[in-house]
Amino acid sequence: MHIRSLLSERIEAAFTALGLEGQALLQAASRPEFGDYQANGVMAAAKRAGKNPRDVAQQVIDTLDLQGIAKELAIAGPGFINITLAPEFIAQASTTPAHTDNPQCVVVDYSGPNLAKEMHVGHLRSTIIGDCIARVLESLGHRVIRQNHVGDWGTQFGMLLTYMADQGAASGSLSDLENFYRQAKQRFDEDEAFQQRSRQAVVALQSGEPSMLQQWQKFIDISMSHCQELYDRLGIDLTDQNMDGESSYNDDLKNTVDHLAAQNLLTESDGAQCVFLDEFKSKSGEALPVIVQKSDGGFLYSTSDLACLRRRIGDFKADRVLYFVDARQALHFKQVFAVAAAAGISNPAVELVHMPFGTMLGKDNKPFKTRQGALVKLSDLLDEAMSRAGQLLQDRQVQSKNPDIDDAELARLAQTIGIGAVKYADLSKNRTSDYVFDWDQMLSFDGNTAPYLLYAYSRARSIFTRGGINPATLPTQVVSVDEPERRLAVVIAGYQDLLEQVAEEGYPHQLCAYLYELAGRFTQFYEQCPILNSEDEVKTRRLALTKQTGDVLANGLSLLGIGVAERM
Ligand code: ARG
């Protein structure tokens, strides 16, 4: 149900009826005494009309028709309108997302590791944030095209393939890609002849020499299978099908540059082909080039992203293209989008958005590294997460308290909690800021964490087991009576609005904050409203609210890509 737009429309209609101009500026109330929602737009509207804002607020309330929607309207402070929703209105909410009337084709570009190396913690954010937004969009009925823009082309592969050929049957040594890369790099730095051969290999590869391509494919397959293992462990919806890496644009790079030339956008500068746009100037006002072809004929990262947009807009007919890529690539995307617009590759009807994210930091506030100073391998991080979660379950004596939980279930639980904790810790932080990776915080059962939410979920579920009640027999809509019930139902009713906001803005932490709020209100309800010890309709009503809470928690966690456990 759409609460925000409904309330905004009604308030703005009252503005119009009163001859006022302005927006309702609706917000969720920050404290219970402010009702459920607050309209903050009266002050600006009154100011524009030269009237007293509190008087105007009163007139708006007198004019407003919120029959059956709000049970109370009040003026607060200089002219805020506090709205308390009516129980019969919020009772109509659904616990699963409804499909939009305006489905779009949305390309979500995420993960995109460099296949020359193993995935490290730097890839975590793009992978899980992009995955979450793709799920949210899909749940609302959009057509989502997941794109894994892997780095599978470029000069490093000359070095790697040459080293691979020298090693003979190489696939064994490729099981540790990190090590393999290090050894190849060392040889490259030390051995001039090897360097020479590596450069020739790049030329052979880029000109499509079959034996070289074959070797390359072998390398990519092995490297990609490492990634796939991690995607599976993390529960990420990416497969080979979504892999459209840099190499897949190789055949269109020249066409792309020709297209830019045909649009009169190219200028030669020191032998390189460049696009100069007015919007990109250095501090001293000098024009900055976007280079699309080097003087040796080689193409660049920007060239493949332009070719990529030709496919995404031209072939896929995307309405939106969302790039979940490190904030440090902001200038790159600004340039690519601007060149694409100037060249008619994109058009104003298509929304191109770089959704940047900050860096994951260690406790020392520096980029997260091992003690030896290397980037932490993602597989090592997940191993540690699972072993820490296993230890946590032992410390909480989960198995001795529930003797019927066998070792297999315990291991599954450790996996759900461990992986869920790592993902949730990341997703719950505002993506644009850097954040400190902290094992103790993410595995705590207190605060805005995965264990806290998983526990809230299992508690909502265990009521049915304890009461011997089949939740499917409960009514799907109930009108709340007591205030803790109503406050819980208000949050449940806000789920659809929240998901639409997340789909629009691309911030998973908003979904986390919502689920945390929901779990908090459920806890208050649970403490203040006896459930199994109530009778008749009170019991049914409270059980129905409990079921709805569990359903929204499970749905929300699934959109974050986090599994749930029925008991813990
Ligand atoms: N492979 C790139 C990197 O590691 C990320 C790709 C992002 N997507 C894109 N279309 N450029 O930095």
Side-chain angles (χ1 to χ4, degrees):
M1 89 188 333
H2 294 104
I3 301 177
R4 284 166 181 278
S5 52
L6 180 73
L7 292 176
S8 300
E9 270 164 31
R10 296 290 172 92
I11 291 168
E12 283 158 21
F15 281 3
T16 311
L18 292 165
L20 299 166
E21 262 175 68
Q23 288 181 314
L25 303 183
L26 205 74
Q27 281 185 355
S30 54
R31 283 201 247 148
E33 57 270 32
F34 298 156
D36 301 319
Y37 287 88
Q38 217 171 32
N40 299 340
V42 168
M43 280 79 77
K47 190 171 177 199
R48 215 168 286 142
K51 293 184 176 160
N52 175 309
R54 277 188 74 99
D55 293 346
V56 170
Q58 189 56 53
Q59 287 167 1
V60 171
I61 289 178
D62 295 342
T63 313
L64 250 185
D65 178 17
L66 289 177
Q67 186 69 35
I69 297 172
K71 69 167 192 172
E72 201 185 316
L73 298 169
I75 305 175
F80 302 110
I81 298 177
N82 295 346
I83 304 163
T84 304
L85 295 175
E88 56 275 19
F89 171 62
I90 50 180
Q92 299 160 35
S94 144
T95 55
T96 45
H99 281 192
T100 163
D101 299 332
N102 175 27
Q104 292 184 311
C105 173
V106 189
V107 169
V108 183
D109 182 317
Y110 68 107
S111 197
N114 179 354
L115 294 186
K117 296 187 186 178
E118 219 160 299
M119 275 178 90
H120 57 77
V121 293
H123 299 110
L124 185 69
R125 305 210 71 188
S126 172
T127 305
I128 65 182
I129 297 172
D131 191 65
C132 168
I133 299 304
R135 286 168 193 259
V136 170
L137 285 160
E138 227 158 38
S139 78
L140 295 171
H142 295 291
R143 185 164 154 254
V144 173
I145 302 181
R146 293 169 165 79
Q147 289 282 285
N148 193 357
H149 194 96
V150 294
D152 60 354
W153 209 235
T155 47
Q156 304 137 307
F157 287 96
M159 166 185 100
L160 292 167
L161 295 178
T162 306
Y163 192 68
M164 187 164 136
D166 290 1
Q167 296 289 87
S171 34
S173 52
L174 279 180
S175 61
D176 187 344
L177 204 55
E178 218 39 44
N179 216 6
F180 184 85
Y181 185 92
R182 212 173 305 119
Q183 287 167 0
K185 181 80 173 59
Q186 194 179 352
R187 170 76 62 83
F188 187 86
D189 290 341
E190 286 166 359
D191 181 341
E192 197 141 327
F194 181 84
Q195 256 178 49
Q196 193 56 29
R197 286 192 293 131
S198 297
R199 288 203 190 90
Q200 284 159 359
V202 177
V203 177
L205 178 64
Q206 304 214 325
S207 62
E209 199 211 278
S211 71
M212 196 51 89
L213 272 180
Q214 213 178 14
Q215 282 300 98
W216 169 81
Q217 190 63 54
K218 209 156 125 195
F219 185 94
I220 294 299
D221 288 347
I222 294 170
S223 180
M224 199 52 209
S225 71
H226 286 296
C227 296
Q228 193 61 51
E229 234 173 82
L230 285 162
Y231 295 151
D232 294 345
R233 282 183 79 182
L234 279 166
I236 297 298
D237 276 342
L238 282 173
T239 67
D240 284 358
Q241 299 294 311
N242 313 110
M243 184 175 140
D244 279 309
E246 285 178 33
S247 69
S248 74
Y249 302 101
N250 194 41
D251 291 344
D252 199 38
L253 297 176
K254 186 175 176 305
N255 300 339
T256 302
V257 172
D258 288 348
H259 173 81
L260 297 177
Q263 304 288 312
N264 285 323
L265 284 167
L266 293 187
T267 309
E268 197 181 308
S269 172
D270 293 331
Q273 294 298 327
C274 307
V275 182
F276 287 94
L277 294 173
D278 286 343
E279 48 204 290
F280 300 109
K281 293 219 164 76
S282 71
K283 283 199 193 94
S284 55
E286 259 172 89
L288 288 174
V290 180
I291 306 175
V292 292
Q293 187 167 23
K294 292 186 283 188
S295 55
D296 66 3
F299 300 103
L300 294 101
Y301 185 48
S302 339
T303 328
S304 50
D305 259 324
L306 286 165
C308 171
L309 271 176
R310 279 154 64 92
R311 186 186 297 165
R312 290 175 181 180
I313 298 171
D315 300 347
F316 297 169
K317 310 272 183 263
D319 299 304
R320 296 176 83 193
V321 187
L322 312 180
Y323 294 83
F324 290 89
V325 186
D326 195 307
R328 284 167 287 197
Q329 294 192 27
L331 178 62
H332 165 75
F333 284 109
K334 240 191 219 157
Q335 292 181 328
V336 167
F337 298 165
V339 173
I345 294 172
S346 69
N347 63 74
V350 184
E351 199 190 338
L352 306 177
V353 198
H354 175 208
M355 300 257 179
F357 53 82
T359 308
M360 188 167 139
L361 305 174
K363 275 198 165 166
D364 55 357
N365 271 318
K366 298 206 180 103
F368 194 66
K369 298 254 170 80
T370 60
R371 233 172 285 153
Q372 290 76 34
L375 284 168
V376 178
K377 282 209 260 179
L378 205 44
S379 56
D380 292 342
L381 187 86
L382 298 186
D383 289 344
E384 180 161 358
M386 281 165 66
S387 83
R388 280 181 186 255
Q391 187 60 46
L392 184 73
L393 291 173
Q394 229 170 55
D395 294 347
R396 288 173 68 91
Q397 302 186 305
V398 168
Q399 210 172 17
S400 34
K401 284 186 206 149
N402 306 274
D404 55 327
I405 293 188
D406 61 19
D407 289 351
E409 185 175 346
L410 200 70
R412 269 199 308 279
L413 210 51
Q415 156 134 4
T416 304
I417 296 176
I419 306 286
V422 168
K423 291 176 85 170
Y424 193 87
D426 193 307
L427 294 167
S428 60
K429 310 293 188 305
N430 186 331
R431 72 169 151 75
T432 50
S433 355
D434 297 345
Y435 82 96
V436 175
F437 188 89
D438 179 347
W439 285 116
D440 297 327
Q441 186 269 330
M442 74 181 73
L443 283 165
S444 161
F445 275 79
D446 295 319
N448 188 10
T449 66
Y452 171 75
L453 288 181
L454 291 170
Y455 183 67
Y457 171 78
S458 73
R459 200 162 55 169
R461 281 293 183 252
S462 67
I463 292 170
F464 297 100
T465 328
R466 264 192 286 132
I469 294 149
N470 175 3
T473 59
L474 294 164
T476 50
Q477 294 188 354
V478 286
V479 178
S480 47
V481 175
D482 300 298
E483 191 56 12
E485 297 173 3
R486 201 194 59 84
R487 287 185 41 80
L488 176 61
V490 167
V491 181
I492 293 170
Y495 191 43
Q496 181 77 23
D497 276 349
L498 179 276
L499 289 181
E500 286 177 18
Q501 187 187 350
V502 173
E504 174 61 31
E505 299 172 4
Y507 287 101
H509 79 278
Q510 294 169 341
L511 174 54
C512 297
Y514 168 86
L515 294 174
Y516 181 55
E517 165 102 57
L518 175 65
R521 292 210 190 181
F522 175 67
T523 304
Q524 284 161 10
F525 156 81
Y526 186 84
E527 281 162 5
Q528 294 168 29
C529 302
I531 304 173
L532 291 175
N533 292 331
S534 308
E535 305 212 6
D536 306 326
E537 68 268 31
V538 181
K539 182 172 173 180
T540 306
R541 186 172 80 223
R542 290 181 179 168
L543 282 169
L545 284 169
T546 303
K547 175 178 187 303
Q548 289 180 6
T549 305
D551 289 350
V552 174
L553 281 174
N555 189 272
L557 286 165
S558 80
L559 296 179
L560 294 171
I562 296 175
V564 292
E566 294 301 309
R567 51 183 193 169
M568 50 189 279

PDB file of all heavy atoms in Angstrom, residues 109-114 123 126 149-151 246 301 305 308 312 323-326 329 332-333, ligand 1:
ATOM      1  N   ASP A 109      24.706  -3.306 -12.998  1.00  0.00           N
ATOM      2  CA  ASP A 109      26.109  -3.637 -13.236  1.00  0.00           C
ATOM      3  C   ASP A 109      26.771  -3.790 -11.869  1.00  0.00           C
ATOM      4  O   ASP A 109      26.865  -2.817 -11.118  1.00  0.00           O
ATOM      5  CB  ASP A 109      26.726  -2.484 -14.045  1.00  0.00           C
ATOM      6  CG  ASP A 109      28.189  -2.701 -14.414  1.00  0.00           C
ATOM      7  OD1 ASP A 109      28.975  -3.165 -13.553  1.00  0.00           O
ATOM      8  OD2 ASP A 109      28.567  -2.365 -15.559  1.00  0.00           O
ATOM      9  N   TYR A 110      27.158  -4.991 -11.524  1.00  0.00           N
ATOM     10  CA  TYR A 110      27.760  -5.177 -10.199  1.00  0.00           C
ATOM     11  C   TYR A 110      28.757  -6.318 -10.171  1.00  0.00           C
ATOM     12  O   TYR A 110      28.825  -7.099 -11.107  1.00  0.00           O
ATOM     13  CB  TYR A 110      26.686  -5.349  -9.130  1.00  0.00           C
ATOM     14  CG  TYR A 110      25.835  -6.613  -9.165  1.00  0.00           C
ATOM     15  CD1 TYR A 110      26.021  -7.619  -8.218  1.00  0.00           C
ATOM     16  CD2 TYR A 110      24.822  -6.777 -10.096  1.00  0.00           C
ATOM     17  CE1 TYR A 110      25.214  -8.752  -8.208  1.00  0.00           C
ATOM     18  CE2 TYR A 110      24.018  -7.905 -10.095  1.00  0.00           C
ATOM     19  CZ  TYR A 110      24.220  -8.889  -9.147  1.00  0.00           C
ATOM     20  OH  TYR A 110      23.420 -10.000  -9.144  1.00  0.00           O
ATOM     21  N   SER A 111      29.524  -6.348  -9.102  1.00  0.00           N
ATOM     22  CA  SER A 111      30.608  -7.293  -8.854  1.00  0.00           C
ATOM     23  C   SER A 111      31.825  -6.950  -9.718  1.00  0.00           C
ATOM     24  O   SER A 111      32.774  -6.371  -9.220  1.00  0.00           O
ATOM     25  CB  SER A 111      30.184  -8.747  -9.070  1.00  0.00           C
ATOM     26  OG  SER A 111      31.136  -9.593  -8.432  1.00  0.00           O
ATOM     27  N   GLY A 112      31.824  -7.299 -11.000  1.00  0.00           N
ATOM     28  CA  GLY A 112      32.879  -6.875 -11.927  1.00  0.00           C
ATOM     29  C   GLY A 112      34.304  -7.068 -11.454  1.00  0.00           C
ATOM     30  O   GLY A 112      35.115  -6.151 -11.588  1.00  0.00           O
ATOM     31  N   PRO A 113      34.659  -8.241 -10.900  1.00  0.00           N
ATOM     32  CA  PRO A 113      36.047  -8.402 -10.452  1.00  0.00           C
ATOM     33  C   PRO A 113      37.003  -8.479 -11.637  1.00  0.00           C
ATOM     34  O   PRO A 113      36.587  -8.755 -12.765  1.00  0.00           O
ATOM     35  CB  PRO A 113      36.024  -9.736  -9.698  1.00  0.00           C
ATOM     36  CG  PRO A 113      34.914 -10.503 -10.320  1.00  0.00           C
ATOM     37  CD  PRO A 113      33.877  -9.481 -10.696  1.00  0.00           C
ATOM     38  N   ASN A 114      38.262  -8.239 -11.326  1.00  0.00           N
ATOM     39  CA  ASN A 114      39.304  -8.406 -12.314  1.00  0.00           C
ATOM     40  C   ASN A 114      39.718  -9.878 -12.285  1.00  0.00           C
ATOM     41  O   ASN A 114      40.174 -10.376 -11.257  1.00  0.00           O
ATOM     42  CB  ASN A 114      40.457  -7.488 -11.910  1.00  0.00           C
ATOM     43  CG  ASN A 114      41.631  -7.589 -12.846  1.00  0.00           C
ATOM     44  OD1 ASN A 114      41.651  -8.436 -13.753  1.00  0.00           O
ATOM     45  ND2 ASN A 114      42.610  -6.730 -12.645  1.00  0.00           N
ATOM     46  N   HIS A 123      35.949  -6.425  -3.489  1.00  0.00           N
ATOM     47  CA  HIS A 123      34.842  -6.745  -4.390  1.00  0.00           C
ATOM     48  C   HIS A 123      33.541  -7.010  -3.659  1.00  0.00           C
ATOM     49  O   HIS A 123      32.502  -7.191  -4.272  1.00  0.00           O
ATOM     50  CB  HIS A 123      35.176  -7.986  -5.227  1.00  0.00           C
ATOM     51  CG  HIS A 123      36.372  -7.793  -6.082  1.00  0.00           C
ATOM     52  ND1 HIS A 123      37.561  -8.434  -5.843  1.00  0.00           N
ATOM     53  CD2 HIS A 123      36.576  -7.009  -7.157  1.00  0.00           C
ATOM     54  CE1 HIS A 123      38.442  -8.057  -6.746  1.00  0.00           C
ATOM     55  NE2 HIS A 123      37.879  -7.196  -7.552  1.00  0.00           N
ATOM     56  N   SER A 126      30.485  -4.053  -3.976  1.00  0.00           N
ATOM     57  CA  SER A 126      29.783  -4.010  -5.260  1.00  0.00           C
ATOM     58  C   SER A 126      28.905  -5.246  -5.410  1.00  0.00           C
ATOM     59  O   SER A 126      27.746  -5.162  -5.831  1.00  0.00           O
ATOM     60  CB  SER A 126      30.803  -3.950  -6.400  1.00  0.00           C
ATOM     61  OG  SER A 126      30.151  -4.103  -7.630  1.00  0.00           O
ATOM     62  N   HIS A 149      30.465  -7.088 -15.230  1.00  0.00           N
ATOM     63  CA  HIS A 149      31.430  -6.487 -16.158  1.00  0.00           C
ATOM     64  C   HIS A 149      32.849  -6.836 -15.691  1.00  0.00           C
ATOM     65  O   HIS A 149      33.595  -5.991 -15.191  1.00  0.00           O
ATOM     66  CB  HIS A 149      31.208  -4.968 -16.149  1.00  0.00           C
ATOM     67  CG  HIS A 149      31.864  -4.210 -17.271  1.00  0.00           C
ATOM     68  ND1 HIS A 149      31.209  -3.863 -18.416  1.00  0.00           N
ATOM     69  CD2 HIS A 149      33.115  -3.716 -17.407  1.00  0.00           C
ATOM     70  CE1 HIS A 149      32.015  -3.179 -19.214  1.00  0.00           C
ATOM     71  NE2 HIS A 149      33.191  -3.079 -18.617  1.00  0.00           N
ATOM     72  N   VAL A 150      33.206  -8.095 -15.849  1.00  0.00           N
ATOM     73  CA  VAL A 150      34.498  -8.564 -15.323  1.00  0.00           C
ATOM     74  C   VAL A 150      35.656  -7.989 -16.138  1.00  0.00           C
ATOM     75  O   VAL A 150      35.531  -7.733 -17.336  1.00  0.00           O
ATOM     76  CB  VAL A 150      34.580 -10.111 -15.309  1.00  0.00           C
ATOM     77  CG1 VAL A 150      33.580 -10.701 -14.333  1.00  0.00           C
ATOM     78  CG2 VAL A 150      34.353 -10.686 -16.697  1.00  0.00           C
ATOM     79  N   GLY A 151      36.771  -7.803 -15.448  1.00  0.00           N
ATOM     80  CA  GLY A 151      37.994  -7.357 -16.127  1.00  0.00           C
ATOM     81  C   GLY A 151      38.693  -8.600 -16.674  1.00  0.00           C
ATOM     82  O   GLY A 151      39.425  -9.276 -15.965  1.00  0.00           O
ATOM     83  N   GLU A 246      34.719  -7.199 -20.180  1.00  0.00           N
ATOM     84  CA  GLU A 246      35.333  -6.248 -21.115  1.00  0.00           C
ATOM     85  C   GLU A 246      35.605  -6.885 -22.468  1.00  0.00           C
ATOM     86  O   GLU A 246      35.437  -6.261 -23.510  1.00  0.00           O
ATOM     87  CB  GLU A 246      36.630  -5.714 -20.522  1.00  0.00           C
ATOM     88  CG  GLU A 246      36.414  -4.711 -19.419  1.00  0.00           C
ATOM     89  CD  GLU A 246      37.733  -4.223 -18.817  1.00  0.00           C
ATOM     90  OE1 GLU A 246      38.722  -4.137 -19.561  1.00  0.00           O
ATOM     91  OE2 GLU A 246      37.750  -3.961 -17.605  1.00  0.00           O
ATOM     92  N   TYR A 301      39.596   1.579 -21.006  1.00  0.00           N
ATOM     93  CA  TYR A 301      38.462   1.227 -20.156  1.00  0.00           C
ATOM     94  C   TYR A 301      37.214   2.032 -20.564  1.00  0.00           C
ATOM     95  O   TYR A 301      36.111   1.482 -20.649  1.00  0.00           O
ATOM     96  CB  TYR A 301      38.870   1.519 -18.710  1.00  0.00           C
ATOM     97  CG  TYR A 301      37.903   1.138 -17.615  1.00  0.00           C
ATOM     98  CD1 TYR A 301      37.301  -0.122 -17.574  1.00  0.00           C
ATOM     99  CD2 TYR A 301      37.619   2.044 -16.578  1.00  0.00           C
ATOM    100  CE1 TYR A 301      36.439  -0.464 -16.535  1.00  0.00           C
ATOM    101  CE2 TYR A 301      36.769   1.700 -15.540  1.00  0.00           C
ATOM    102  CZ  TYR A 301      36.173   0.462 -15.524  1.00  0.00           C
ATOM    103  OH  TYR A 301      35.325   0.132 -14.495  1.00  0.00           O
ATOM    104  N   ASP A 305      33.456   0.850 -21.957  1.00  0.00           N
ATOM    105  CA  ASP A 305      32.205   1.256 -21.308  1.00  0.00           C
ATOM    106  C   ASP A 305      31.270   1.993 -22.275  1.00  0.00           C
ATOM    107  O   ASP A 305      30.051   1.952 -22.111  1.00  0.00           O
ATOM    108  CB  ASP A 305      32.477   2.094 -20.051  1.00  0.00           C
ATOM    109  CG  ASP A 305      32.330   1.244 -18.782  1.00  0.00           C
ATOM    110  OD1 ASP A 305      31.448   0.359 -18.755  1.00  0.00           O
ATOM    111  OD2 ASP A 305      33.099   1.441 -17.830  1.00  0.00           O
ATOM    112  N   CYS A 308      29.824  -0.758 -24.317  1.00  0.00           N
ATOM    113  CA  CYS A 308      28.908  -1.429 -23.406  1.00  0.00           C
ATOM    114  C   CYS A 308      27.553  -0.716 -23.364  1.00  0.00           C
ATOM    115  O   CYS A 308      26.490  -1.355 -23.375  1.00  0.00           O
ATOM    116  CB  CYS A 308      29.591  -1.441 -22.043  1.00  0.00           C
ATOM    117  SG  CYS A 308      28.610  -1.983 -20.700  1.00  0.00           S
ATOM    118  N   ARG A 312      23.765  -1.996 -24.028  1.00  0.00           N
ATOM    119  CA  ARG A 312      22.736  -1.924 -22.980  1.00  0.00           C
ATOM    120  C   ARG A 312      21.542  -1.071 -23.405  1.00  0.00           C
ATOM    121  O   ARG A 312      20.399  -1.377 -23.075  1.00  0.00           O
ATOM    122  CB  ARG A 312      23.353  -1.393 -21.684  1.00  0.00           C
ATOM    123  CG  ARG A 312      24.294  -2.400 -21.076  1.00  0.00           C
ATOM    124  CD  ARG A 312      25.028  -1.901 -19.859  1.00  0.00           C
ATOM    125  NE  ARG A 312      25.925  -2.950 -19.361  1.00  0.00           N
ATOM    126  CZ  ARG A 312      26.698  -2.836 -18.313  1.00  0.00           C
ATOM    127  NH1 ARG A 312      26.711  -1.713 -17.622  1.00  0.00           N
ATOM    128  NH2 ARG A 312      27.463  -3.837 -17.933  1.00  0.00           N
ATOM    129  N   TYR A 323      25.155   1.460 -12.032  1.00  0.00           N
ATOM    130  CA  TYR A 323      26.519   0.956 -11.873  1.00  0.00           C
ATOM    131  C   TYR A 323      26.904   0.976 -10.398  1.00  0.00           C
ATOM    132  O   TYR A 323      27.071   2.049  -9.813  1.00  0.00           O
ATOM    133  CB  TYR A 323      27.499   1.853 -12.630  1.00  0.00           C
ATOM    134  CG  TYR A 323      27.338   1.844 -14.131  1.00  0.00           C
ATOM    135  CD1 TYR A 323      26.383   2.648 -14.751  1.00  0.00           C
ATOM    136  CD2 TYR A 323      28.155   1.049 -14.930  1.00  0.00           C
ATOM    137  CE1 TYR A 323      26.249   2.643 -16.131  1.00  0.00           C
ATOM    138  CE2 TYR A 323      28.027   1.047 -16.317  1.00  0.00           C
ATOM    139  CZ  TYR A 323      27.061   1.851 -16.910  1.00  0.00           C
ATOM    140  OH  TYR A 323      26.931   1.850 -18.272  1.00  0.00           O
ATOM    141  N   PHE A 324      27.049  -0.212  -9.823  1.00  0.00           N
ATOM    142  CA  PHE A 324      27.499  -0.283  -8.435  1.00  0.00           C
ATOM    143  C   PHE A 324      29.015  -0.457  -8.440  1.00  0.00           C
ATOM    144  O   PHE A 324      29.523  -1.575  -8.495  1.00  0.00           O
ATOM    145  CB  PHE A 324      26.779  -1.411  -7.692  1.00  0.00           C
ATOM    146  CG  PHE A 324      25.338  -1.073  -7.478  1.00  0.00           C
ATOM    147  CD1 PHE A 324      24.381  -1.401  -8.421  1.00  0.00           C
ATOM    148  CD2 PHE A 324      24.951  -0.344  -6.365  1.00  0.00           C
ATOM    149  CE1 PHE A 324      23.062  -1.029  -8.252  1.00  0.00           C
ATOM    150  CE2 PHE A 324      23.631   0.038  -6.188  1.00  0.00           C
ATOM    151  CZ  PHE A 324      22.676  -0.319  -7.134  1.00  0.00           C
ATOM    152  N   VAL A 325      29.685   0.674  -8.464  1.00  0.00           N
ATOM    153  CA  VAL A 325      31.138   0.680  -8.635  1.00  0.00           C
ATOM    154  C   VAL A 325      31.750   1.671  -7.635  1.00  0.00           C
ATOM    155  O   VAL A 325      31.152   2.706  -7.318  1.00  0.00           O
ATOM    156  CB  VAL A 325      31.527   1.069 -10.086  1.00  0.00           C
ATOM    157  CG1 VAL A 325      33.025   0.939 -10.297  1.00  0.00           C
ATOM    158  CG2 VAL A 325      30.777   0.210 -11.113  1.00  0.00           C
ATOM    159  N   ASP A 326      32.938   1.325  -7.167  1.00  0.00           N
ATOM    160  CA  ASP A 326      33.717   2.128  -6.230  1.00  0.00           C
ATOM    161  C   ASP A 326      33.646   3.631  -6.542  1.00  0.00           C
ATOM    162  O   ASP A 326      33.746   4.035  -7.698  1.00  0.00           O
ATOM    163  CB  ASP A 326      35.175   1.655  -6.325  1.00  0.00           C
ATOM    164  CG  ASP A 326      36.009   2.149  -5.163  1.00  0.00           C
ATOM    165  OD1 ASP A 326      36.023   3.371  -4.906  1.00  0.00           O
ATOM    166  OD2 ASP A 326      36.627   1.297  -4.499  1.00  0.00           O
ATOM    167  N   GLN A 329      35.791   5.675  -9.013  1.00  0.00           N
ATOM    168  CA  GLN A 329      35.587   5.715 -10.464  1.00  0.00           C
ATOM    169  C   GLN A 329      34.557   6.772 -10.882  1.00  0.00           C
ATOM    170  O   GLN A 329      34.044   6.744 -12.003  1.00  0.00           O
ATOM    171  CB  GLN A 329      35.183   4.328 -10.981  1.00  0.00           C
ATOM    172  CG  GLN A 329      36.309   3.313 -10.817  1.00  0.00           C
ATOM    173  CD  GLN A 329      36.050   2.010 -11.568  1.00  0.00           C
ATOM    174  OE1 GLN A 329      35.351   1.982 -12.569  1.00  0.00           O
ATOM    175  NE2 GLN A 329      36.637   0.922 -11.069  1.00  0.00           N
ATOM    176  N   HIS A 332      35.368   8.698 -14.085  1.00  0.00           N
ATOM    177  CA  HIS A 332      35.238   7.812 -15.247  1.00  0.00           C
ATOM    178  C   HIS A 332      33.783   7.755 -15.723  1.00  0.00           C
ATOM    179  O   HIS A 332      33.490   7.938 -16.899  1.00  0.00           O
ATOM    180  CB  HIS A 332      35.746   6.410 -14.889  1.00  0.00           C
ATOM    181  CG  HIS A 332      35.338   5.344 -15.863  1.00  0.00           C
ATOM    182  ND1 HIS A 332      35.912   5.204 -17.104  1.00  0.00           N
ATOM    183  CD2 HIS A 332      34.374   4.385 -15.790  1.00  0.00           C
ATOM    184  CE1 HIS A 332      35.336   4.204 -17.747  1.00  0.00           C
ATOM    185  NE2 HIS A 332      34.401   3.683 -16.970  1.00  0.00           N
ATOM    186  N   PHE A 333      32.855   7.523 -14.784  1.00  0.00           N
ATOM    187  CA  PHE A 333      31.453   7.388 -15.200  1.00  0.00           C
ATOM    188  C   PHE A 333      30.873   8.716 -15.661  1.00  0.00           C
ATOM    189  O   PHE A 333      30.096   8.754 -16.618  1.00  0.00           O
ATOM    190  CB  PHE A 333      30.620   6.744 -14.090  1.00  0.00           C
ATOM    191  CG  PHE A 333      30.878   5.263 -14.007  1.00  0.00           C
ATOM    192  CD1 PHE A 333      31.586   4.717 -12.950  1.00  0.00           C
ATOM    193  CD2 PHE A 333      30.466   4.408 -15.030  1.00  0.00           C
ATOM    194  CE1 PHE A 333      31.867   3.357 -12.903  1.00  0.00           C
ATOM    195  CE2 PHE A 333      30.741   3.048 -14.993  1.00  0.00           C
ATOM    196  CZ  PHE A 333      31.442   2.526 -13.924  1.00  0.00           C
TER     197      PHE A 333
HETATM  198  N1  ARG B   1      36.306  -4.377 -13.464  1.00  0.00           N
HETATM  199  C1  ARG B   1      36.122  -3.058 -12.939  1.00  0.00           C
HETATM  200  C2  ARG B   1      37.054  -2.855 -11.760  1.00  0.00           C
HETATM  201  O1  ARG B   1      37.516  -3.802 -11.166  1.00  0.00           O
HETATM  202  C3  ARG B   1      34.718  -2.786 -12.481  1.00  0.00           C
HETATM  203  C4  ARG B   1      33.702  -2.793 -13.597  1.00  0.00           C
HETATM  204  C5  ARG B   1      32.594  -1.836 -13.344  1.00  0.00           C
HETATM  205  N2  ARG B   1      31.665  -1.763 -14.414  1.00  0.00           N
HETATM  206  C6  ARG B   1      31.836  -1.053 -15.532  1.00  0.00           C
HETATM  207  N3  ARG B   1      30.916  -1.097 -16.449  1.00  0.00           N
HETATM  208  N4  ARG B   1      32.903  -0.298 -15.711  1.00  0.00           N
HETATM  209  O2  ARG B   1      37.318  -1.723 -11.406  1.00  0.00           O
END
